[in-house]
């Protein structure tokens, strides 16, 4: 039972032996250079060596440690440099920027690998007893700042859940499965696959994130149109807290007062640790197809998406790129053969004849999966709607390239960081009636805020995760760094994007969580009394405030702390670091 | 703005001029008499006259009253006998039994009719200031004991929301509507209908219940298979609490930490008053059809229901009656013409030829609605599945009779109470793999517990509200009362049914709420720590404990209080009743 899935590279995304291979995507870097106004190429800046990473001096409480070690095995309690650095951050821009520059100020003092709910409870009880802070850790893929320590007063433990990875029970008749919360996406799907089943949850982070992390942050998978967001899939769960275990009953639905599943979902580690969940599952699809389409313009694509909702069509994924994101996607395409280059030229000519103004054209990926007869039926209906709004099918081969590379996109950031380019994302959701105004305002806000530092912006957007009332709106941005002002540049753009969401009827995040990155906007989203209600739950389940303290609770001046995180690098580190002896 | 929808009759279900007309259902009373072993018919017992109803002496806080009257109009603050009796209870067995016998011990001291969120806040602030308890009241259709006062120490106000009935805003592009929470079902549908829209929420109580009540109790409508339960429809809401207004943002979905909509949904009036909600809406269906089917046996019908889920069919309603409930439904049918009686005989002969053992046959109602092309497509697919499991179509005419009488069923209870017959329901939900064991155990438990008092039981069951993982299981029971032991008989049966749910993997209620009827089983459903979490939220939003005190918080010995409610009648009343002068 002590098998652990591997950690991602400590300074970037993905497995240590994986990365972005620009030779396989020859169009990408020229495209990026043109967009970002990079005229002279300098040699790439590699990350600092692990040995050179600066760590806060560990705060150690010997009696706490002794209590842990009396129950857990030696290999479950780690304090090595590597383990501390790995657990310092998630994979947001601020995280990776600091790590590459050799700073791990967010690192915990200790890492614990529980192998059972009992191990989790032992750790939480000892932590509560000795006033030690606990930060639950899944795959470490979070990009909203959920994992960094926010205080240097108390000892901090990162609780890494990856050894709790078993699918415990599959009820094929009821389409449910009970699983430990530390299981990673591929492992989970492999175990369900043995029963002919799938969970249907495929976020961009799928390879490197866990069930518990998905639930704690209200994650959305690429195929949420069919399978729902993670909160729609939870039937029952168990959460270990400093006050004991909260456990709900495995029933399809209930009217038993406030739904306490929803107190655990989205709690971002602030109340306890989700140890297992019973999830809704599905037979593995008989058929799956991901055709691509091109629309003459963004608005037409949007109208087609909404009309699919209106007519109750059921694709499993719909993803509409705006013209800029379309250009990025095309530039990202793998190298084409001579033959397909010729075919592509012919097709472009055809599109011009059809009246397409190519720089305004928008790529729409659409997936269908499930029973063979349903897939065919739904695709026919969607095709008819798309045609009505000017969409032209690019066939299923574009879809194949999307399928082959769908988890690779985050690798680009490491490639770009190495070339002193900052990239990040801000995403939200809003009503159909509000998507175009929000889109225009936010694209403007992002571009203006980049331009303020005097460099050209790239920004693009895609619409996905369709609901009856609207959809998710996802912005990607990038720009050249200015030496010494990197964090300042990032903060200006990130703040402009998030503030635009608030000013234009959107939410702080559709599926990336609150963390520290989005915390200043929480009260605007759920009202000050909503924040107070969340604080009240925390007081009830975590009276000692040991669980991921600082999250979900904005301070009186939330922007002040927000601006301080990570910049200037090391300022916080120097504050306090001491070996505390037991009180 | 002071239009008020009418109250139901104070001693029973429905409008004052409506009721069960046994001459239009000539088969029903003979059927019931046979089932319940009623040999000798006595003359019906009418309810006590309103003037004779015993009320607790009103507790009046003059300064509280003065504060209210300085802001609200005179007709918004009522303390008449009629108003107090109307607001004493919902419509559960214990409620109606006591009222008919002339006891309204649960009556509030005052009734307030707010006409705006401001009025609600004024009332809550004054109540918090003067330690007055507030019980929100929608249509008064609750059958789980959510509305009765549970203490005689403090003054109690019933806050009747029916004047807040406007649909405030319809966004037809985004399929959303913002509405005041006091709007009744028919009124709401009429207002949406002007925009070509429907909410799609049609609980049995539809005629006499409100949006706010549905949300506060996690209600389910008959067509939840298509439209979802009420919690699936809520996009944003506002809840007035003693600490101010909790308000969420109108966005399709979010990842903004704990979903605070879900703190308000299901809160049963214990945290505050839901004043408005933005709901997901749908175009009014182009087509609607409700064919009926007959299955040779219960298990086959169940398998057909599950197979529809497996194949992702989308009827808007599926309702499978067990053999006893099928017999009840047939007995409830309106008087048939000679012609249709003959047709019916021929059809019965046909069924026997097809191998049906008629006493074991099960009626299955199935509704399809939406776009014309979808309705036809889905019905074809469902028909094929039903045939595979032995289902025989009875055509759409049975469906028409279901449609015509679907809101009439609750009237039967008044008819039976008048004839000294107790009837009530217990409903739950469970996994597909568990429906048959749960069904058998609970039918046994109900029958045994009725037989213990020496009278023959009627019990029947229907399965509805389909989910991927299971469905709702709904038991109806009835028996002759024994003079002086009516409440004891009821408690024995109710307790047996609910305990069977807990012992056999089901929940305390699928859509009727917790109230007082189901409170003793709450900790088993959501775990003691779940109960503690709910209490923590309450402390945060209602620190003075003025909102519907006693609900959602089981005491140390929850069965003790549960057994005491309503029996022996008047015991509680005598306790304390005094005019409190201001502190």
């Amino acid at each position: 039972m002590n098998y652990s899935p591997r950690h991602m590279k400590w300074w970037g995304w993905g497995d240590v032996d994986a990365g972005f291979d620009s030779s396989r995507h020859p169009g990408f870097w020229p495209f990026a250079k043109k967009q970002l106004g990079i005229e002279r190429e300098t040699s790439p800046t590699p990350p600092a060596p692990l040995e050179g990473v600066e760590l806060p001096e560990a705060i150690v409480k010997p009696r706490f440690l002794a209590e842990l070690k009396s129950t857990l095995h030696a290999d479950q309690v780690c304090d090595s440099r590597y383990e501390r650095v790995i657990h310092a951050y998630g994979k947001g821009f601020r995280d990776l920027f600091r790590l590459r520059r050799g700073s791990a100020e967010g690192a915990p003092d200790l890492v614990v690998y529980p192998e059972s709910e009992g191990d989790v409870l032992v750790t939480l009880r000892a932590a509560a007893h000795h006033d030690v802070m606990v930060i639950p850790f899944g795959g470490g893929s979070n990009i909203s700042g959920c994992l960094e320590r926010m205080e240097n007063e108390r000892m901090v433990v990162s609780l890494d859940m990856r050894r709790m990875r078993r699918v415990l029970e599959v009820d094929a008749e009821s389409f449910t499965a009970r699983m430990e919360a530390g299981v990673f996406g591929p492992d989970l799907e492999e175990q369900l696959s043995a029963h002919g089943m799938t969970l249907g949850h495929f976020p961009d982070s799928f390879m490197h994130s866990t069930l518990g992390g998905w639930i704690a942050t209200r994650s959305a998978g690429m195929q949420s149109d069919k399978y729902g967001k993670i909160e729609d899939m939870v039937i029952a769960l168990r959460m270990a807290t400093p006050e004991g275990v909260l456990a709900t009953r495995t029933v399809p639905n209930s009217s038993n007062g406030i739904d306490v599943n929803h107190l655990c979902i989205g709690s971002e580690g602030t109340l306890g640790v989700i140890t297992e969940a019973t999830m809704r599952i599905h037979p593995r699809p008989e058929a799956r197809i991901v055709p691509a389409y091109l629309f003459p313009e963004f608005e037409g694509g949007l109208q087609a998406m909404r009309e699919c909702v209106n007519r109750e069509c059921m694709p499993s994924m719909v993803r509409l790129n705006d013209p800029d994101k379309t250009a990025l996607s095309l530039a990202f395409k793998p190298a084409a053969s001579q033959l397909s280059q010729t075919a592509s030229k012919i097709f472009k000519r055809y599109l011009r004849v059809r009246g397409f103004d190519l720089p305004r054209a928008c790529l729409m990926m659409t997936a269908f999966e499930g029973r063979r007869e349903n897939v065919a039926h739904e695709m026919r209906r969607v095709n008819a709607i798309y045609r009505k709004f000017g969409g032209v099918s690019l066939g299923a081969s574009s879809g194949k390239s999307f399928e082959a590379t769908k988890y690779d996109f985050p690798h680009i950031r490491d490639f770009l960081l190495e070339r002193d380019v900052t990239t990040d994302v801000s995403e939200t959701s809003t009503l159909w009636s509000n998507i175009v105004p929000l889109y225009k305002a936010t694209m403007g806000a992002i571009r203006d805020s980049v331009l303020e530092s005097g460099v050209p912006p790239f920004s693009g957007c895609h619409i996905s995760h369709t609901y009856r009332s609207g959809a998710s709106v996802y912005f990607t941005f990038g720009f050249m760094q200015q030496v010494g002002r990197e964090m300042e540049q990032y903060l200006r753009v990130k703040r402009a994007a998030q503030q635009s969401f608030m000013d234009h009827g959107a939410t702080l995040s559709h599926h990336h969580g609150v963390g520290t990155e989005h915390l200043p906007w929480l009260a605007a989203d759920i009202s000050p009394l909503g924040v107070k209600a969340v604080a009240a739950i925390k007081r009830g389940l975590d009276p000692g405030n040991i669980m991921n303290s600082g999250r979900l609770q904005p301070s009186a001046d939330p922007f002040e702390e927000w601006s301080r995180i990570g910049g200037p690098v090391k300022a916080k580190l120097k504050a306090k670091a001491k070996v505390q002896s037991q009180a």
Side-chain angles (χ1 to χ4, degrees), chain A residues 321-332:
Chain A
N321 290 337
D322 78 345
D324 295 289
K325 195 77 188 276
T326 299
L328 174 62
S329 292
L330 295 178
F332 192 67

Side-chain angles (χ1 to χ4, degrees), chain A residues 241 392 458 518 556:
Chain A
T241 80
V392 169
F458 171 79
H518 305 139

Side-chain angles (χ1 to χ4, degrees), chain A residues 89-100:
Chain A
Y89 301 113
K91 302 294 182 188
F93 167 74
R94 293 204 230 201
D95 303 334
L96 299 184
F97 179 75
R98 280 180 287 178
L99 281 171
R100 294 182 67 93

Side-chain angles (χ1 to χ4, degrees), chain A residues 14 18 30 53 69 74 128 162 175 189 205 243 250 255 292 306 321 364-365 373 386 402 406 453 502 518 557:
Chain A
V53 173
K69 288 185 172 170
R162 70 190 58 216
F175 304 109
E189 283 296 327
S205 65
E243 295 287 289
T250 304
S255 168
R306 182 198 169 272
N321 290 337
M364 170 100 94
M365 309 300 310
E373 80 258 25
Y386 283 7
F402 173 83
K406 63 185 170 187
S453 20
M502 290 300 121
H518 305 139
D557 180 3

Side-chain angles (χ1 to χ4, degrees), chain A residues 15-58:
Chain A
D15 289 334
V16 174
D17 43 15
F20 177 69
D21 178 357
S22 65
S23 70
R24 290 191 56 218
H25 304 268
F28 173 71
W29 183 224
F31 171 84
K33 281 195 289 188
K34 192 173 164 200
Q35 294 285 322
L36 303 173
I38 301 173
E39 281 154 17
R40 221 161 40 87
E41 212 170 324
T42 53
S43 58
T45 324
L50 180 60
E51 303 70 38
V53 173
E54 204 167 339
L55 278 166
E57 199 173 328

